[in-house]
Amino acid sequence: MYMPSNNAIMDITARKYKFIEEFMKIISPEKIEKLELLEDVLHSDLPTQEDEYILTQEQKAELDRREARHLSGESKSHSWDEVKQRLILNHGLQTGN
């Protein structure tokens, strides 16, 4: 089993801290707060299996109602391009595609 030397570990650690330091210089405090919220969500105790999501009868009825409205054309849906454009315009977010 390969074990990196202490110098290699320190070099990697130093590079990580340097990257973080440079990143912190260019990101706004508001975006840091958003990243922290995202981190909280990612580390929360969310169910990991599909069957762990239990909906109430009211929630199931609401989903059924929304699906029926969508299928009938009563509700408006948006293309992925429209969603991306709104994210960029309203929130300054950039998407990969």
Side-chain angles (χ1 to χ4, degrees):
M1 179 166 140
Y2 171 74
M3 294 295 294
S5 68
N6 284 342
N7 288 342
I9 292 171
M10 290 302 291
D11 183 50
I12 291 169
T13 302
R15 289 172 41 206
K16 285 180 187 177
Y17 280 111
K18 180 69 175 165
F19 175 77
I20 292 168
E21 189 177 281
E22 292 300 315
F23 181 74
M24 296 303 287
K25 289 178 186 176
I26 61 171
I27 192 166
S28 69
E30 295 82 19
K31 294 212 179 190
I32 290 173
E33 288 177 15
K34 288 180 183 179
L35 287 171
E36 288 171 341
L37 288 172
L38 177 61
E39 181 183 32
D40 290 344
V41 168
L42 292 174
H43 291 117
S44 65
D45 292 329
L46 296 175
T48 56
Q49 298 293 321
E50 183 178 321
D51 59 354
E52 291 181 15
Y53 289 96
I54 300 172
L55 299 176
T56 66
Q57 289 302 321
E58 293 83 15
Q59 291 168 324
K60 289 177 185 177
E62 176 64 17
L63 289 174
D64 290 341
R65 185 186 68 76
R66 289 182 185 193
E67 181 183 32
R69 288 186 68 212
H70 172 71
L71 293 174
S72 71
E74 187 179 339
S75 66
K76 175 141 175 61
S77 59
H78 304 278
S79 72
W80 177 235
D81 287 333
E82 291 171 318
V83 172
K84 286 191 300 186
Q85 191 62 32
R86 276 193 313 198
L87 287 171
I88 292 167
L89 292 174
N90 297 337
H91 304 287
L93 300 176
Q94 296 296 318
T95 61
N97 293 335

